[in-house]
Amino acid sequence: MDLPEDFQPHQLIPTSSALLRALKKRAGVGDALSSLQSSRSPAVIQMVSCLERHREQVHKRLTTTVEEDATNRDHHALLAERREKAAAERLQLEHMLKLQRIEMAKQIGALQAAYDAAAAELAELRGSAAAETAATESEALASTKANTGAFAAEHAILAEQLESAHSELMALRSDNRAAAAAARKARKRAEQDCEAAIAEYDAELTARQKEYDQALAAYTELQDQLKKNLSEVEALKAERLAHEEAVRAAAASKKREEIRSIRIAAAAYAIQNAYKVWKKRKAAEAKKASAKGSKAGKGKKK
C-alpha cells in the first residue's frame, strides 16, 4: 500500500520499536524472515527504509552527547523559527501578489480599453484611407488619360525635332570629316617640321657638345698647367724664403762677429789702458819710494 503524502518517518518510531522488540523475543524469526520471498513490495521496501532510518536515528541518539543534543535542539529550534518566519513572509508575499494581480488586472483593463479605442480609430482611418485611395485612383486615371494625349502630341513634335537634328548631325559629320582630314594633314606637316627641327637641334647640340668637350679638355689642361705653375711658384717661394732666411742668418752671424770683435777690441783697449795706468802707478810708487829712500840716507849721513 502507498503512504499518504503528509507521512512523516517519526510516526513509525513507536510501532517499529514495538515490532522490533517483539521480533527479538521470539526465536527463529530471522530464519522465517529470510525464507520470505526475495522480491519486496514497495510498501515493504518503504518500511525497511523507515526502519533503517529509525535504526540510524536511534544509533545517533545513543551516540550523541548532551552538548550535541542541546546543539541539535537549538538548531532545530532555529530552523523552526526560520520556518515560521518563512511562512509569515510567504503569507505576506502571497498577499502582495494578490494586490499586484488586482493592480495588473486594472492596468490590463485600461490597456484593453485603449486598445479597443485604437482599433476603432484604426478601422475609421482605414475606411477614410480606402475612400481617399479610390478618389486618388480616379483622379490619377483621369490625369493619365489627359497626359496621354498631351504626351502623344509632344512625342510627335519631339520626333520631328529629332529628325531635323539627325539631318543636321549628318551634315555636321560630313563637315567634320573634311575638317578632320585637313587637321590630319596639318598635324602631319607639323610633325615633319618638328622632326626636322629636332634633327637640326640634335646636330647643333652634337656640335656644341664637341665644342664643350674641347673647351673642357683645354680648361682641364690649363687647370693642370696652373696647378703645375702654382707648385713651381710654391717651390720657388719656399726656395726664396730659405735663401732670405740664410741671408738673414748670415747677416746676423756677421753682425754678431762684428759686435764680438768690437767687444774684444774694447776689452783689449780697456785692458791696455788699465795696464798702462797700473804701470804708471807702480812707476810713481817706485819713484816715490826711491825718493823717500834718498831722503832717509841723507839724514843718516848728517
Side-chain angles (χ1 to χ4, degrees), residues 93-113:
L93 291 173
E94 288 177 353
H95 180 67
M96 291 175 64
L97 182 60
K98 289 179 181 179
L99 295 177
Q100 189 174 4
R101 285 178 179 175
I102 294 170
E103 186 66 25
M104 289 179 67
K106 291 180 181 179
Q107 292 179 2
I108 290 171
L111 291 173
Q112 186 66 33

Side-chain angles (χ1 to χ4, degrees), residues 144-204:
T144 302
K145 291 179 179 179
N147 291 331
T148 303
F151 176 75
E154 290 180 359
H155 185 268
I157 295 170
L158 291 174
E160 292 177 359
Q161 292 178 358
L162 180 62
E163 186 65 27
S164 61
H166 185 68
S167 61
E168 185 178 357
L169 178 62
M170 295 301 293
L172 289 174
R173 281 181 178 176
S174 61
D175 296 338
N176 190 19
R177 288 193 190 96
R184 283 194 295 273
K185 290 180 181 179
R187 179 182 177 184
K188 188 174 182 180
R189 286 196 300 272
E191 288 178 353
Q192 291 175 356
D193 295 339
C194 185
E195 288 176 356
I198 290 171
E200 184 179 357
Y201 173 76
D202 289 338
E204 186 178 357

Side-chain angles (χ1 to χ4, degrees), residues 83-275:
R83 194 177 295 112
E84 290 177 359
K85 288 183 179 180
E89 290 179 357
R90 179 182 178 184
L91 293 175
Q92 186 177 2
L93 291 173
E94 288 177 353
H95 180 67
M96 291 175 64
L97 182 60
K98 289 179 181 179
L99 295 177
Q100 189 174 4
R101 285 178 179 175
I102 294 170
E103 186 66 25
M104 289 179 67
K106 291 180 181 179
Q107 292 179 2
I108 290 171
L111 291 173
Q112 186 66 33
Y115 175 76
D116 294 337
E121 187 176 357
L122 180 60
E124 185 179 357
L125 289 173
R126 284 179 178 174
S128 62
E132 290 179 358
T133 302
T136 303
E137 288 178 354
S138 62
E139 291 178 0
L141 183 61
S143 177
T144 302
K145 291 179 179 179
N147 291 331
T148 303
F151 176 75
E154 290 180 359
H155 185 268
I157 295 170
L158 291 174
E160 292 177 359
Q161 292 178 358
L162 180 62
E163 186 65 27
S164 61
H166 185 68
S167 61
E168 185 178 357
L169 178 62
M170 295 301 293
L172 289 174
R173 281 181 178 176
S174 61
D175 296 338
N176 190 19
R177 288 193 190 96
R184 283 194 295 273
K185 290 180 181 179
R187 179 182 177 184
K188 188 174 182 180
R189 286 196 300 272
E191 288 178 353
Q192 291 175 356
D193 295 339
C194 185
E195 288 176 356
I198 290 171
E200 184 179 357
Y201 173 76
D202 289 338
E204 186 178 357
L205 182 63
T206 303
R208 294 291 178 86
Q209 184 66 34
K210 289 181 180 178
E211 293 177 359
Y212 172 76
D213 293 337
Q214 293 175 0
L216 182 62
Y219 173 75
T220 305
E221 185 178 358
L222 289 174
Q223 193 172 8
D224 294 338
Q225 187 65 33
L226 180 61
K227 290 181 179 178
K228 184 177 180 182
N229 294 334
L230 287 174
S231 62
E232 291 178 358
V233 167
E234 290 294 333
L236 291 173
K237 186 177 179 180
E239 186 177 355
R240 178 188 171 189
L241 291 175
H243 177 69
E244 289 179 356
E245 184 66 26
V247 170
R248 282 197 298 269
S253 177
K254 184 177 179 181
K255 188 176 181 179
R256 285 196 299 271
E257 289 294 332
E258 291 177 354
I259 292 171
R260 183 170 177 277
S261 300
I262 292 170
R263 288 180 178 176
I264 291 172
Y269 180 74
I271 291 170
Q272 289 176 1
N273 288 333
Y275 179 72

